Amino acid sequence: MSFHAMPCPRWRKSSRCGANGTCVEVAGHDDGIVFVRDGGADDTCLDFTAGEWRRFVAAVRRGTFDLH
């Protein structure tokens, strides 16, 4: 994962986005990189390799980051 201060490609909002519209957004790139940003602060984004993204999504599905 790295940090970029640059415009990123086509963004998709989470299907669980609230009414205020400031949600996590994700964009894929042709080279397999996945970009993630805060929809309310669109001037910067994080990027993940495809493998890093798969591991992150798997951890989310397992509940690794759930608040107890």
Side-chain angles (χ1 to χ4, degrees):
M1 176 181 73
S2 58
F3 180 77
H4 290 275
M6 60 179 232
C8 297
R10 294 170 243 158
W11 293 102
R12 295 178 297 156
K13 287 188 185 227
S14 167
S15 61
R16 298 183 185 250
C17 184
N20 64 4
T22 54
C23 302
V24 171
E25 297 176 331
V26 177
H29 193 271
D30 294 340
D31 60 4
I33 300 296
V34 177
F35 295 101
V36 180
R37 73 178 182 183
D38 175 346
D42 61 14
D43 59 338
T44 59
C45 61
L46 299 172
D47 69 79
F48 298 84
T49 66
E52 290 170 331
W53 184 248
R54 280 191 302 273
R55 288 188 295 277
F56 171 73
V57 170
V60 169
R61 288 181 176 152
R62 284 191 309 271
T64 301
F65 308 110
D66 290 355
L67 299 175
H68 300 286

